[in-house]
Amino acid sequence: MRGRATSLRRRLTWTLIGGAAVLAVLFYLVVRTYAQQIAQQGQDRILEASLTSLMDAAVVRDGEVEVDLPYAAFAMLDTAADDRVFYAMHRGDMLLTGYDGLVEGPFDPVPSLAFDTVGFAGAEVRLARLTRVLPASPASVVLTVSVAQTRDSLAGTLWAISVNAALFGGAFFVLAAGMALWTSRSTVRPLSQMAEAVARRGPRDLRPVVRAVPTELSPLVTSLNSLMTRLSASLTQSETFIAEAAHRVRTPLATVRTHAEATLMRVDKDENRAALRSMIRAIDESSRAAGQLLDHAMVTFRGDQLERRNVDLVGICRELVDRLTPVAEMKDLELVLRAEGPVEVQADPILIQNAVRNLIDNALKYSPPESEVRIEVGSDPVAILVCDEGAGFPAAQIAELSQRFQRGANAGDTVGSGLGLTIAQDVAEAHGGRLELVNIKGGGACAALYL
Ligand SMILES: Nc1ncnc2c1ncn2[C@@H]1O[C@H](COP(=O)(O)OP(=O)(O)OP(=O)(O)O)[C@@H](O)[C@H]1O
Ligand SMILES: [Mg+2]
């Protein structure tokens, strides 16, 4: 797989959770700002009412301003938090009554109402100021009334609203995050279920996927199914090709060999006979190489898709011994099978047979006449041993002999392609086992196929 792996589920989860977090914060800020505005408007309205009633209490008599401070003007400013209230009355810029320094002139000589938030007496206060022109003779009087109130009650209300908004936002976030987790999990579930179903299949199971999937996934399933169909077709094709090719290469070679041998009988000239002999040898080499290459291809192919069946290793060996005894007898060799009862394992019989045939074939090729080749089948550990009484594997090369096309120094002019041990090793590994080559002390080679 190329590139950095990303998780759809993680991406979906984080996007949804991120969205929920942004919404929750936005909600909190909007509620807070709005609440602040409303609360401020409430306080301003009361301050305005108080100002008006103070202003209404002022009269101008003989050019002097007289005020009888109405109790109600201050009572309406009472709050639960006992906010402090300050006031001041100015005629023009001159303080008539109230707190000095609460407001500074000069005041506008035209009627006006203004609100401001300022610091006074060590606290933050909301200040309202009303200027009116009172008609009087000889000259009208400009009167400014100011009322200020601390903001403790307002801050308390705001705090309560903020806490509630935060709680509500938090609860919304938790709920949304839970839903995000659930949504992303349930969205991705069909994908992982499909992957699991495909992964659970056996290596040769190339049936199309038929489970119901969300519509977004169906193009993937369609491509997967078409890939499976093509794969299955090409597997079947290569299987038949291997068998066919083996047959087609060996048969004509065998015919050529027969003709060459017949000709050899008829010619007398030494140089012609030598030429024919090397021709026969070349045919043998080619035939052997073709056979081993095809066997190797078959082993690789079947090993990739191992089809295990219950097989009796002793049965397989006995069959091989029976089949190869005539070959052994030509060299005065004796094939001996040693086994106690059947040894049953889960394996691919064709592969096992191929591996053991190669091991016996080696023993027959590389051991001297009139000796014995032993085939032992053990059940604990499950293994097939093929031992001979020859000179053993060339010690210096023993580690490389099972590599492809590797022949030993002792191979001399025996016909071979260097693939036999490779095949045996691949078979062992396909079954989760290994091939071990050892030389016996008193002489002889032993190849052990552990399964
Ligand atoms: N029983 C044995 N005794 C001694 N040497 C052996 C024995 N079996 C294998 N060898 C050595 O290991 C080499 C590799 O064996 P391998 O079976 O892979 O190839 P090969 O026999 O030469 O060719 P082929 O592909 O036809 O089997 C042989 O060339 C030989 O040198
Ligand atoms: Mg061999």
Side-chain angles (χ1 to χ4, degrees):
M1 239 181 277
R2 290 228 193 135
R4 207 158 55 92
T6 53
S7 158
L8 274 184
R9 183 171 149 192
R10 210 172 308 144
R11 195 146 39 142
L12 197 61
T13 310
W14 284 117
T15 310
L16 290 174
I17 288 185
V22 169
L23 280 182
V25 170
L26 220 63
F27 167 81
Y28 171 77
L29 291 178
V30 166
V31 167
R32 224 190 96 100
T33 315
Y34 199 56
Q36 196 165 15
Q37 275 175 12
I38 300 220
Q40 193 59 73
Q41 275 172 12
Q43 190 183 30
D44 289 354
R45 200 100 320 127
I46 302 172
L47 281 172
E48 189 185 344
S50 168
L51 275 182
T52 318
S53 89
L54 278 177
M55 184 62 89
D56 289 349
V59 287
V60 184
R61 199 164 288 149
D62 301 334
E64 293 296 314
V65 178
E66 287 180 12
V67 201
D68 188 10
L69 290 178
Y71 169 73
F74 298 106
M76 69 174 76
L77 287 165
D78 273 355
T79 62
D82 280 337
D83 276 307
R84 285 178 291 157
V85 174
F86 310 95
Y87 78 100
M89 256 186 201
H90 290 82
R91 176 183 184 166
D93 290 347
M94 187 182 68
L95 178 71
L96 292 178
T97 171
Y99 291 81
D100 198 7
L102 179 62
V103 279
E104 300 291 344
F107 302 106
D108 232 353
V110 288
S112 66
L113 173 65
F115 294 97
D116 202 0
T117 305
V118 295
F120 184 71
E124 190 177 68
V125 297
R126 183 71 172 171
L127 173 72
R129 205 181 59 214
L130 179 65
T131 303
R132 262 193 205 164
V133 182
L134 304 180
S137 60
S140 51
V141 174
V142 176
L143 188 65
T144 301
V145 181
S146 312
V147 176
Q149 186 184 28
T150 54
R151 291 151 57 90
D152 296 344
S153 169
L154 185 96
T157 315
L158 258 184
W159 170 250
I161 292 178
S162 299
V163 168
N164 279 326
L167 283 178
F168 195 83
F172 166 78
F173 174 73
V174 170
L175 195 77
M179 274 169 68
L181 285 176
W182 179 81
T183 309
S184 53
R185 186 173 307 168
S186 62
T187 308
V188 175
R189 193 179 302 133
L191 247 180
S192 41
Q193 278 174 343
M194 195 178 84
E196 254 172 51
V198 175
R200 260 202 310 269
R201 290 179 169 207
R204 288 215 150 197
D205 187 350
L206 294 175
R207 280 173 301 135
V209 176
V210 287
R211 64 174 34 239
V213 291
T215 43
E216 290 81 359
L217 281 187
S218 56
L220 178 68
V221 173
T222 313
S223 329
L224 187 70
N225 284 347
S226 104
L227 178 74
M228 298 252 226
T229 316
R230 276 178 285 146
L231 196 63
S232 166
S234 102
L235 281 182
T236 321
Q237 222 172 19
S238 45
E239 213 166 355
T240 36
F241 173 79
I242 290 175
E244 184 98 331
H247 184 65
R248 290 199 179 242
V249 172
R250 281 175 187 160
T251 318
L253 280 178
T255 317
V256 177
R257 194 181 195 282
T258 319
H259 286 307
E261 274 191 330
T263 318
L264 185 63
M265 303 280 201
R266 276 186 264 122
V267 294
D268 299 322
K269 254 192 172 171
D270 277 351
E271 56 199 80
N272 288 348
R273 291 180 69 85
L276 277 169
R277 274 207 199 88
S278 57
M279 190 172 142
I280 290 172
R281 192 187 151 81
I283 293 169
D284 285 348
E285 291 274 3
S286 318
S287 175
R288 176 73 186 169
Q292 288 292 80
L293 276 172
L294 289 166
D295 275 0
H296 185 235
M298 189 271 289
V299 165
T300 310
F301 174 79
R302 288 184 81 98
D304 279 347
Q305 352 241 325
L306 198 62
E307 238 180 310
R308 287 176 186 265
R309 273 202 273 137
N310 203 25
V311 293
D312 173 22
L313 297 182
V314 180
I316 292 182
C317 291
R318 182 167 301 121
E319 205 188 299
L320 279 168
V321 167
D322 290 347
R323 185 139 48 97
L324 293 173
T325 298
V327 185
E329 277 170 354
M330 287 206 290
K331 217 182 150 184
D332 280 337
L333 282 165
E334 195 183 355
L335 285 181
V336 184
L337 175 64
R338 281 198 202 152
E340 293 165 7
V343 175
E344 299 209 332
V345 288
Q346 292 288 316
D348 183 331
I350 297 185
L351 292 190
I352 303 286
Q353 197 189 47
N354 215 304
V356 179
R357 183 163 42 72
N358 269 294
L359 298 183
I360 299 181
D361 183 72
N362 281 350
L364 296 182
K365 273 203 296 196
Y366 303 109
S367 56
E370 292 180 10
S371 62
E372 188 182 88
V373 173
R374 259 180 307 115
I375 296 116
E376 287 175 33
V377 184
S379 58
D380 189 24
V382 176
I384 300 173
L385 269 74
V386 178
C387 304
D388 60 44
E389 295 173 347
F393 300 105
Q397 286 176 294
I398 206 159
E400 297 116 55
L401 289 180
S402 25
Q403 287 170 9
R404 285 213 293 166
F405 305 115
Q406 186 74 47
R407 304 202 71 199
N410 61 335
D413 44 57
T414 46
V415 172
S417 49
L419 280 173
L421 292 178
T422 314
I423 290 174
Q425 175 169 274
D426 286 357
V427 169
E429 283 173 359
H431 287 84
R434 63 182 196 285
L435 175 74
E436 255 182 40
L437 306 179
V438 282
N439 283 330
I440 311 170
K441 278 235 173 71
C446 238
L449 193 74
Y450 289 97
L451 294 175

